Amino acid sequence: MQIYKVGGAVRDRLLGKPVTDIDWVVVGATTEEMLAKGFRTVGADFPVFLHPKSGEEYALARTERKSGRGYGGFTFHASPEVTLEEDLIRRDLTINAMAEDDQQNLTDPYHGQRDLEERILRHVSPAFAEDPLRVLRVARFAARYAELGFKVAPETLELMRQLSESGELEALTAERSWKEISRALMEDQPQVFIQVLRDCGALKVLMPEVDALFGVPQPEAHHPEIDSGIHTLSVLEQSALHKQPLTVRWACLLHDLGKGLTPQEEWPRHIAHEHKGLKLIKAVNERFKAPKDCQELALLVGQYHTHGHRALELKASTLLELLQSFDVYRRPQRFEEFIAACEMDARGRKGLEQRSYPQADYLRGAANVARGVAVQPLLEKGFKGLELGEALKRERLKALKVYKESAAS
């Protein structure tokens, strides 16, 4: 029995990056031998065991064969005869197909170390094209290591293109897709993830609503970058630079989908794109079964982001309606995330990345003013039920009018 550290732990050590998760492969062992050593079995499809002390996962070396569609369409074979090289060849990228023994002796049959040095994301074997999830994984790695100069090898991008055209991507479950998408959006350069998906034709399959934005112009006076797709990538880039949470990044990706529906004869203006885009945002949310908080914020940002930009011009009554829509009294964090998404949208414009966004503090102040209206005096006046709600709304409107006047002076 021989035990090797494999995959990301080896890759990241060689890159000088922190190693978080460690995967282990056991060569030359049987299930019975593992159980005899105190390991506990957890693998449903192939033999995976938990270490009796550390709880880390150890998998028996295995081969795999394509037997159906999608990510799960494989049959696995694990036995003591399977070699380390046979186990490594089934992996996606050469940089993930290296192994180390307990003395840090490297096993690198597919030249992963060379590709690390040359900053290339390259597939290990033609079997790469059997697993559609790898399209998303490679795009995610491209986003993760973009800062180090990594690029997808042309021949790997071609395989990804073939996968995108094969119909295999449609076989991915919403849960698997969302896991990769959400992880990719939280990388330091999530815009690279979207760009790589577009480069290989996967974006128009997975998110045609986002893909449709590329080539759609916007008024240059407001958007020096002009192209709606480029703008979306820039907004996503800003959301990562400003360390925004997943909810905000997802909203940034989807906020302008309505612009893809504007007839060409109306370009570069996009009247009512906020409202038009809601059905598209809803469709993308449902397709990937995004978490509820991501879905809600994406829809609210899509509908109201131009309100955010025009905050200083809004009438007090419109401002109150905006605050009510976000339920700022019970869900203050959601409104804070809306403000963040609006600011990222404003910064995601060529040459305007550093421009201040006074609307942010103005909106926070308005929310504080509305929240500060006390209910008790109205109760003491005998208001209750619907009448109490209307009275509270009137008092909040008065307070916002005062706030608006003081801000203007």
Side-chain angles (χ1 to χ4, degrees), residues 313-331:
E313 309 159 26
L314 296 180
K315 296 185 295 184
S317 57
T318 308
L319 195 53
L320 179 59
E321 288 173 12
L322 178 67
L323 298 174
Q324 301 275 89
S325 298
F326 280 85
D327 192 6
V328 296
Y329 317 108
R330 292 181 298 177
R331 301 187 62 179

Side-chain angles (χ1 to χ4, degrees), residues 138-386:
V138 172
R140 174 165 63 83
F141 281 121
R144 177 180 296 179
Y145 297 120
E147 63 174 351
L148 298 179
F150 275 83
K151 303 291 182 186
V152 181
E155 62 270 29
T156 302
L157 198 65
E158 178 57 32
L159 279 183
M160 292 165 68
R161 188 176 292 111
Q162 291 173 20
L163 261 174
S164 300
E165 294 171 354
S166 70
E168 280 273 324
L169 289 177
E170 287 95 326
L172 290 174
T173 65
E175 291 77 11
R176 291 299 309 181
S177 297
W178 176 255
K179 185 176 180 181
E180 290 297 327
I181 291 167
S182 59
R183 291 177 71 184
L185 290 180
M186 292 309 294
E187 299 290 359
D188 287 340
Q189 295 197 36
Q191 76 282 2
V192 173
F193 171 73
I194 300 298
Q195 184 63 61
V196 170
L197 290 182
R198 185 162 188 268
D199 291 343
C200 71
L203 190 63
K204 67 183 176 185
V205 177
L206 296 167
M207 299 184 201
E209 301 87 350
V210 177
D211 191 66
L213 294 175
F214 289 87
V216 174
Q218 304 165 102
E220 189 174 0
H222 302 295
H223 288 277
E225 72 286 349
I226 300 177
D227 190 289
S228 297
I230 300 300
H231 167 64
T232 295
L233 295 184
S234 299
V235 176
L236 199 52
E237 181 179 14
Q238 288 298 315
S239 74
L241 285 171
H242 290 270
K243 309 296 182 187
Q244 298 296 346
L246 177 61
T247 47
V248 173
R249 298 186 192 204
W250 182 241
C252 286
L253 177 63
L254 305 185
H255 78 286
D256 262 351
L257 293 188
K259 290 180 179 177
L261 297 176
T262 304
Q264 286 192 28
E265 59 269 21
E266 295 179 17
W267 288 355
R269 299 179 70 202
H270 299 278
I271 299 168
H273 75 276
E274 305 88 348
H275 178 72
K276 292 176 184 175
L278 294 181
K279 63 181 180 182
L280 301 183
I281 295 171
K282 187 176 181 182
V284 179
N285 276 335
E286 292 177 352
R287 185 178 311 137
F288 298 110
K289 296 182 180 176
K292 187 178 179 182
D293 57 347
C294 289
Q295 293 200 29
E296 289 178 351
L297 187 68
L299 286 165
L300 286 165
V301 171
Q303 184 170 1
Y304 293 113
H305 63 276
T306 48
H307 277 54
H309 301 327
R310 294 177 50 245
L312 300 171
E313 309 159 26
L314 296 180
K315 296 185 295 184
S317 57
T318 308
L319 195 53
L320 179 59
E321 288 173 12
L322 178 67
L323 298 174
Q324 301 275 89
S325 298
F326 280 85
D327 192 6
V328 296
Y329 317 108
R330 292 181 298 177
R331 301 187 62 179
Q333 183 59 32
R334 186 168 66 175
F335 191 61
E336 188 60 38
E337 291 178 353
F338 164 74
I339 293 171
C342 290
E343 184 169 355
M344 298 308 100
D345 184 26
R347 291 180 182 277
R349 297 179 294 164
K350 187 177 179 181
L352 303 175
E353 296 86 355
Q354 304 303 321
R355 179 179 282 191
S356 63
Y357 194 69
Q359 295 94 322
D361 284 339
Y362 181 80
L363 287 168
R364 289 188 189 102
N368 287 334
V369 164
R371 279 193 290 262
V373 174
V375 180
Q376 191 59 36
L378 299 175
L379 290 171
E380 291 172 358
K381 289 180 180 178
F383 288 106
K384 57 185 177 181
L386 291 175

